[in-house]
Amino acid sequence: MRRRDILKAIALGSAAAVIRPFDTFDVLAQTGSTAASGNADLVAALGGEPAEMLHQALIELGGIERFVKSGNQVVIKPNIGWDNTPEEAGNANPELVGSLVRLCLDAGATKVNVLDHTCDQWSACYKNSGIEAAVKDAGGEMLPAHDQRAYQEIELPRGKVLKKAKVHRAILESDAWFNVPVLKSHGGAGITVSMKNLMGIVWDRGYFHWHDLHQCIADICTLPKAPTLNIVDAYRVLVHGGPRGGRGKDVVVAKGLFASTDIVAVDTAAARFFGQFRNMPLENIGYLRKGEELPVGTTDLDSLKIKRLKV
Amino acid sequence: MASGKLLRLWRLLRLGRRLCGAAVFILLTLLFVATGDFLPVWAHFTARLQLVPALLAGFWLTLALLLLATVLFGRVYCSFICPLGILQDLLARLYSWRKKREFHYRPSSRAIRLGVVIFFLGALIFGNSVLVTLLEPYSLYGIIAMHYCKQGWIVLNNGLSQYVPLASFFGLYPLPHSNLALSSLLIATFLAVFFSVFVWLRGRDYCGCICPVGTVLGWLGRFALLRIRFDAVRCVHCRRCEQACKTSCVDSGRQLIDYSRCVTCFNCLPVCEHQALAYRLPRLIEKAGNSTLILALKGQVKKPSGPPLLDAKRRQFVGLHLAAVAGMGGLVLAQAKAGIAGSTVATGGQEAGQRAITPPGSRSRAHFSRRCTACQLCVASCPTRVLRPATGEYGFLHVLQPRMDFRHGYCNYDCVVCTQVCPSGAILPLTIQEKHETQAGIVQFVQHLCVVESKKQSCGACAEHCPSLAVKMVSYGKVPGLTIPVITPDLCVGCGACEHACPVVPDKAIYVQGLLVHQKARILPRGQELHQQVEGFGF
């Protein structure tokens, strides 16, 4: 299976290289032929299945080997906050998480742990999101994160409001970790993407809500053990009524994916993408500007080398 | 030859009783230790077989079977099915581990037994309360099992998961403790200590002299078809049978057995070296050849099974029952008062007047209170730890009946575990669809306490947790992106997710007000998948 996946990835990657000249929306990007000379800062993929888009995006970013070395302990932190089905789009896409687990193992990771400090009852979230099954199928392991003893307090000297936080040990002890949020609307924060997803590695979320949510979200992004790569799942987008999916909440099958090491940039890109479905000015998403001020990244997409892929 | 065979038969009977008791006891205890729907559905028969829950739930077939079994075989429920009885058997066995303990015949107080039964039945008829809970054997065991077996297992599990290498590989991860109350812990501790001491002092005298279920079954047991019967000629009054009887109902001297107290444990049968005891049918069905046996039976039939009531005793007996009835009346009045007192509506903060919330499926406070025996099975099974034994929230007469408490969690929208495990019909089974349509409480929003109003900062914790869109965020003020909750009460199911998530302390800015009668919640259609042709990236 794994060999086949690699072959598929290579085939799709070369296919993408062929298609690229026809991508008329590629106006703002660097010149089309730079893929070989340097890695993109931010990759946006559109129109494919989650696994395909992930494979291609990683190729543009320099391959999974750039992030995962042989013998590494890897942690993946998808959004598994809700007891939702994959179709309800409250959680990251299970197919995406599963194929990322497989890629990490193929790159030589000794262990891939997947965890989230869920909002709904954790085992129901793990199970009904489809992520548990996908991860186990791929050879990874689900790690519970509902027990305070699994968390360790760390200092956040660069944080403005959030000066310390209890972060899950598996993240702190990992060699590489992937932040895999799902793009969706959020009643309090506008939208939730990579930065907001970090609330799921923290024990006490109530503090965030009580002490300026946007500033705390920006502050947690200053943690020394920053995510190795942020991969935003925008395959199904919960446009209204998020972040919990469910009754009365329609989902747009947008088939998008964004990836970058710059957590603010990838969220800015995702926010712009989201703006196509619903009016969402960037100034409404307070943590983006606050993140840029700290700084933990940039909202200036023009300063980045962006790769746009149509799969 | 024949005697050896009989002895083997008696040992087999005793072994059968022990095996059946052990199986029921272990399964039932596992039911209390497990969380969610961990155990298969059939394991729940151990709880469904319990007499008082079956009576309250209206499981007439179960009830008829239990009564029929008693008429045929004596008080088999007490030794084969009742977890409290089996627990006492285990304790008695533990106590005679090193040194054999000997029991002796003791008469029972008819006044106490009848008084307890009248109290108990009165409490059942006039609305269930602590009187039922603290006398009903299955629930007593449930309270002990939830507090000690389950929490004990959690302590052990958490130790193992921390110190055993590769614990996660074996699926061991730390578990949170159940949502206990100080009152429930104290009561459970009292019960555990009481039974440990009482069994040490008096064997299974609780079953013989106090338990109302035992007394009612004892009335039937006195006329059971199969009974342990003395053979007067063979008996040498050696008292071995008497010493083996945990309920102290065998009088070897007078060759009497108080059948109202005999729990058919069969312990007396194999110890008799003279085959003077037999578990058998009465003389009518037997062959008429054995004249000594018939004589013995005749003699036995004529004798009264209990001590005669003296005049003084009779007076005491009547007085006690009058007092009991008066007490019942007082309790009924107190209950009626408590019911009215619970109907105030909150005006200020949450603590000012929040009414306790009964779990979904319980229909109304009245339905719930009447049927719940506070066995704690739902509290033990609740995966989100939202159910918690009440202290005074329903009035002190309904102490230990579970309520929804949002301190540690909230009721999962798609979970119906408690409605499936309840053996007494207090929480009726719901499908997930039915649960979505059930409103156990109504959301209340106290805007001046809200972070958005008081600090002009974003939050949205309540709306993000709301599974039914009863709470959603709308634009607020001039700050771009700032939103404040608005509530749509008819969509609310009363799950408490908003209250749990609200960061405001000490009084939450959003909370759930319990309903005395559950209502129907409006539900929104399930979300659609919109396949939209997305052409651009948006940047």
Side-chain angles (χ1 to χ4, degrees):
Chain A
M1 277 307 281
R2 284 179 195 169
R3 183 176 296 159
R4 191 183 301 165
D5 279 344
I6 298 168
L7 289 173
K8 204 163 95 184
I10 294 169
L12 286 166
S14 29
V18 174
I19 294 166
R20 196 182 303 117
F22 303 105
D23 187 350
T24 47
F25 289 89
D26 210 353
V27 186
L28 287 169
Q30 311 289 317
T31 45
S33 56
T34 53
S37 63
N39 301 323
D41 296 321
L42 191 154
V43 178
L46 192 60
E49 289 306 298
E52 289 175 64
M53 293 193 289
L54 175 68
H55 285 289
Q56 295 201 26
L58 280 172
I59 288 167
E60 295 298 334
L61 288 164
I64 185 79
E65 293 78 12
R66 183 183 149 200
F67 307 102
V68 177
K69 305 280 180 293
S70 182
N72 277 5
Q73 300 262 354
V74 177
V75 171
I76 298 172
K77 195 279 172 201
N79 188 332
I80 330 177
W82 308 102
D83 182 6
N84 275 175
T85 60
E87 291 72 30
E88 288 171 316
N91 304 314
N93 188 292
E95 193 194 326
L96 175 69
V97 179
S99 58
L100 182 59
V101 171
R102 211 166 269 136
L103 281 168
C104 292
L105 288 170
D106 287 347
T110 48
K111 197 168 194 182
V112 181
N113 281 320
V114 180
L115 65 89
D116 188 13
H117 182 197
T118 64
C119 298
D120 281 339
Q121 202 266 326
W122 72 274
S123 54
C125 295
Y126 279 18
K127 185 166 168 248
N128 298 331
S129 65
I131 289 177
E132 185 172 51
V135 167
K136 283 187 174 161
D137 264 8
E141 206 179 293
M142 295 303 290
L143 215 57
H146 64 283
D147 188 74
Q148 197 174 348
R149 282 166 287 192
Y151 291 76
Q152 188 184 326
E153 190 160 273
I154 59 159
E155 302 283 329
L156 297 168
R158 290 168 61 205
K160 285 185 181 165
V161 174
L162 193 70
K163 293 287 183 190
K164 50 190 176 185
K166 282 186 172 168
V167 174
H168 200 286
R169 279 210 179 85
I171 299 269
L172 298 174
E173 289 163 5
S174 66
D175 297 310
W177 76 278
F178 292 93
N179 185 20
V180 187
V182 57
L183 170 64
K184 52 186 174 167
S185 60
H186 190 284
I191 60 167
T192 158
V193 209
S194 314
M195 294 175 73
K196 174 95 176 53
N197 197 38
L198 292 197
M199 283 178 81
I201 65 169
V202 176
W203 177 251
D204 185 10
R205 281 192 290 258
Y207 187 93
F208 283 57
H209 284 279
W210 187 227
H211 297 91
D212 192 352
L213 182 64
H214 287 295
Q215 188 60 54
C216 287
I217 291 172
D219 288 351
I220 188 63
C221 296
T222 65
L223 90 158
K225 189 93 188 178
T228 315
L229 181 67
N230 305 290
I231 302 167
V232 177
D233 164 35
Y235 189 80
R236 289 193 182 84
V237 180
L238 185 57
V239 177
H240 292 277
R244 195 194 197 281
R247 288 191 177 275
K249 297 170 186 179
D250 294 341
V251 166
V252 174
V253 184
K255 299 194 176 182
L257 183 139
F258 306 89
S260 175
T261 52
D262 185 323
I263 198 165
V264 181
V266 77
D267 281 11
T268 309
R272 295 264 198 90
F273 182 68
F274 188 88
Q276 299 184 117
F277 310 108
R278 180 184 151 193
N279 181 36
M280 184 56 65
L282 289 190
E283 63 265 29
N284 280 12
I285 311 158
Y287 58 79
L288 289 178
R289 186 175 41 80
K290 289 178 193 285
E292 195 168 36
E293 282 165 6
L294 276 170
V296 289
T298 177
T299 58
D300 181 14
L301 296 183
D302 295 343
S303 69
L304 299 174
K305 190 167 145 188
I306 298 178
K307 186 71 220 162
R308 292 173 175 79
L309 300 171
K310 287 243 176 160
V311 178
Chain B
M1 211 13 221
S3 67
K5 263 188 184 168
L6 272 178
L7 197 63
R8 231 173 295 150
L9 179 64
W10 305 147
R11 286 206 178 119
L12 210 64
L13 271 177
R14 188 177 61 180
L15 181 72
R17 188 264 302 169
R18 283 177 179 164
L19 288 178
C20 177
V24 169
F25 188 78
I26 291 169
L27 268 175
L28 193 64
T29 306
L30 283 178
L31 222 53
F32 278 92
V33 168
T35 304
D37 46 8
F38 183 77
L39 284 183
V41 177
W42 61 261
H44 284 269
F45 84 93
T46 50
R48 298 292 155 112
L49 267 180
Q50 302 302 329
L51 195 137
V52 176
L55 174 72
L56 286 164
F59 293 153
W60 304 119
L61 194 67
T62 311
L63 207 61
L65 271 173
L66 286 174
L67 296 181
L68 185 68
T70 311
V71 170
L72 290 177
F73 307 113
R75 283 173 61 175
V76 280
Y77 169 78
C78 305
S79 274
F80 287 70
I81 299 168
C82 174
L84 192 69
I86 302 164
L87 176 73
Q88 291 177 77
D89 279 350
L90 286 172
L91 283 171
R93 208 173 160 71
L94 186 75
Y95 292 153
S96 59
W97 187 17
R98 282 288 167 83
K99 186 173 166 284
K100 198 85 190 155
R101 283 174 62 86
E102 289 174 357
F103 300 94
H104 60 88
Y105 177 79
R106 229 184 276 114
S108 68
S109 160
R110 219 164 161 182
I112 291 179
R113 294 182 76 184
L114 263 169
V116 168
V117 167
I118 289 175
F119 237 82
F120 187 77
L121 292 178
L124 272 183
I125 291 161
F126 288 118
N128 210 350
S129 68
V130 65
L131 288 177
V132 172
T133 305
L134 293 185
L135 286 170
E136 201 275 301
Y138 158 71
S139 300
L140 288 180
Y141 178 70
I143 293 167
I144 297 172
M146 199 277 277
H147 287 84
Y148 283 95
C149 301
K150 188 181 178 76
Q151 309 316 314
W153 159 249
I154 291 172
V155 168
L156 183 71
N157 169 79
N158 291 0
L160 287 176
S161 67
Q162 264 198 313
Y163 300 113
V164 173
L166 287 173
S168 66
F169 180 78
F170 298 107
L172 282 178
Y173 44 77
L175 299 167
H177 280 280
S178 304
N179 196 350
L180 310 177
L182 181 64
S183 58
S184 73
L185 195 59
L186 286 176
I187 291 174
T189 308
F190 168 77
L191 291 173
V193 172
F194 172 81
F195 281 104
S196 302
V197 174
F198 201 75
V199 172
W200 174 266
L201 295 175
R202 306 284 293 255
R204 279 187 67 168
D205 261 9
Y206 178 83
C207 311
C209 301
I210 300 171
C211 178
V213 176
T215 303
V216 171
L217 290 180
W219 288 336
L220 289 174
R222 283 165 65 191
F223 309 107
L225 202 59
L226 274 164
R227 269 185 266 169
I228 293 165
R229 295 164 201 269
F230 266 107
D231 180 342
V233 175
R234 286 180 165 176
C235 177
V236 296
H237 308 291
C238 70
R239 300 186 67 232
R240 278 167 179 260
C241 52
E242 189 174 329
Q243 287 160 357
C245 180
K246 287 171 294 192
T247 51
S248 306
C249 72
V250 177
D251 184 351
S252 162
R254 289 191 289 164
Q255 294 182 353
L256 276 178
I257 295 176
D258 181 353
Y259 292 114
S260 73
R261 283 189 287 156
C262 172
V263 293
T264 59
C265 72
F266 308 127
N267 279 3
C268 55
L269 291 174
V271 298
C272 181
E273 289 181 344
H274 306 277
Q275 293 84 50
L277 282 171
Y279 182 60
R280 58 178 174 83
L281 298 167
R283 71 194 151 117
L284 286 175
I285 303 166
E286 273 173 32
K287 287 176 192 165
N290 200 341
S291 55
T292 50
L293 221 92
I294 292 170
L295 277 174
L297 279 161
K298 271 182 181 168
Q300 197 195 331
V301 167
K302 277 175 189 166
K303 281 177 185 171
S305 56
L309 283 170
L310 300 173
D311 252 9
K313 272 200 167 174
R314 183 164 291 169
R315 236 171 276 137
Q316 186 192 345
F317 178 83
V318 170
L320 196 100
H321 290 171
L322 280 176
V325 170
M328 285 303 311
L331 284 171
V332 171
L333 282 176
Q335 267 187 332
K337 238 179 161 179
I340 298 160
S343 60
T344 49
V345 177
T347 46
Q350 168 208 8
E351 300 296 334
Q354 189 175 21
R355 197 189 302 121
I357 307 153
T358 57
S362 59
R363 287 194 179 166
S364 68
R365 176 80 72 79
H367 174 99
F368 179 69
S369 296
R370 184 169 282 271
R371 284 166 187 79
C372 176
T373 63
C375 72
Q376 311 297 322
L377 188 55
C378 56
V379 178
S381 307
C382 180
T384 56
R385 306 192 294 146
V386 68
L387 290 180
R388 179 186 208 192
T391 304
E393 289 85 356
Y394 294 137
F396 287 100
L397 275 177
H398 298 290
V399 71
L400 298 195
Q401 290 186 348
R403 69 183 180 96
M404 305 248 274
D405 170 67
F406 306 126
R407 199 158 308 175
H408 300 296
Y410 51 89
C411 185
N412 189 319
Y413 193 54
D414 291 320
C415 171
V416 288
V417 166
C418 62
T419 76
Q420 286 162 345
V421 301
C422 179
S424 66
I427 311 176
L428 293 166
L430 292 179
T431 61
I432 289 179
Q433 173 79 20
E434 285 166 344
K435 185 181 170 190
H436 290 180
E437 292 173 358
T438 301
Q439 185 176 58
I442 295 186
V443 59
Q444 311 279 322
F445 180 49
V446 190
Q447 186 158 334
H448 68 92
L449 291 177
C450 180
V451 173
V452 181
E453 169 116 352
S454 65
K455 294 186 169 188
K456 302 286 181 283
Q457 285 170 355
S458 294
C459 177
C462 51
E464 82 173 321
H465 282 74
C466 178
S468 62
L469 265 179
V471 186
K472 61 180 180 187
M473 307 299 286
V474 295
S475 293
Y476 178 73
K478 293 196 177 82
V479 186
L482 190 62
T483 51
I484 196 160
V486 286
I487 56 173
T488 315
D490 67 332
L491 286 173
C492 180
V493 292
C495 71
C498 54
E499 182 179 327
H500 172 75
C502 180
V504 183
V505 280
D507 281 3
K508 301 273 182 172
I510 195 161
Y511 68 96
V512 178
Q513 178 72 335
L515 284 169
L516 288 176
V517 179
H518 290 190
Q519 296 172 0
K520 209 169 159 70
R522 182 163 66 91
I523 51 168
L524 295 167
R526 291 195 182 275
Q528 298 283 311
E529 275 199 355
L530 309 172
H531 290 268
Q532 202 168 320
Q533 195 60 42
V534 185
E535 289 297 336
F537 290 98
F539 56 92

